[in-house]
């Protein structure tokens, strides 16, 4: 698989995402929404950063199970129940992302959600990857 991350100078400088990702490969992996569920199906973490870390780890676990790596991620969508809280923690969330997923950022979006499937969940991540 090969990816090319495009960030045209005509757009604002990206911080923690790429404006476009061109992915070439033979296998597309669609990753279901992941929240901060533990192996017992319970949401863990009280704060948004704690839940974000677990949700991202869960997403990456699903990706690895499909044979992918973080470099294969082409798109991730983040659903947050409180976008202002997400923005307030953006620097910390960025550090979590870099620690778990590195600096090859996929195309990303953050979407405000009234609530998620589990009422305790503050954040959910889904996405897709392209593998060789």
């Amino acid at each position: 698989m090969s990816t090319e991350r495009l960030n045209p100078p005509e757009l604002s400088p990206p911080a923690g995402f790429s404006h476009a990702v061109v992915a070439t490969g033979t296998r597309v992996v669609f990753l279901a929404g992941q929240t901060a569920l533990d192996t017992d199906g319970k949401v863990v973490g009280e704060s948004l950063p704690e839940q974000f870390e677990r949700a991202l780890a869960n997403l990456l676990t699903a990706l690895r199970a499909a044979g992918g790596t973080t470099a294969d991620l082409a798109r991730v969508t983040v659903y947050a129940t409180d976008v202002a809280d997400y923005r307030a923690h953006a620097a910390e969330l960025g550090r979590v992302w870099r620690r778990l997923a590195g600096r090859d950022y996929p195309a990303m979006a953050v979407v405000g959600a009234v609530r998620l499937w589990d009422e305790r969940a503050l954040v959910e991540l889904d996405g897709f990857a392209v593998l060789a």
Side-chain angles (χ1 to χ4, degrees), residues 18-122:
S18 294
H19 283 292
V21 176
V22 179
T24 305
T26 58
R27 232 173 123 204
V28 177
V29 178
F30 294 92
L31 300 163
Q34 298 293 324
T35 60
L37 292 179
D38 65 12
T39 56
D40 292 326
K42 295 186 173 129
V43 172
V44 295
E46 297 300 319
S47 70
L48 177 67
E50 291 170 325
Q51 287 197 18
F52 180 85
E53 182 166 352
R54 182 59 183 250
L56 178 57
N58 289 346
L59 187 80
L60 298 177
T61 297
L63 175 61
R64 283 190 296 276
T69 69
T70 57
D72 298 324
L73 282 171
R75 170 88 179 158
V76 170
T77 303
V78 178
Y79 303 92
T81 59
D82 186 339
V83 175
D85 192 32
Y86 188 94
R87 289 180 60 109
H89 288 96
E92 184 177 357
L93 300 176
R95 287 190 295 275
V96 169
W97 180 278
R98 287 187 297 279
R99 184 168 39 81
L100 297 181
R103 292 184 176 270
D104 290 327
Y105 298 111
M108 294 182 72
V110 176
V111 178
V114 174
R115 72 170 292 255
L116 300 170
W117 181 260
D118 188 307
E119 290 183 6
R120 291 197 60 235
L122 303 174

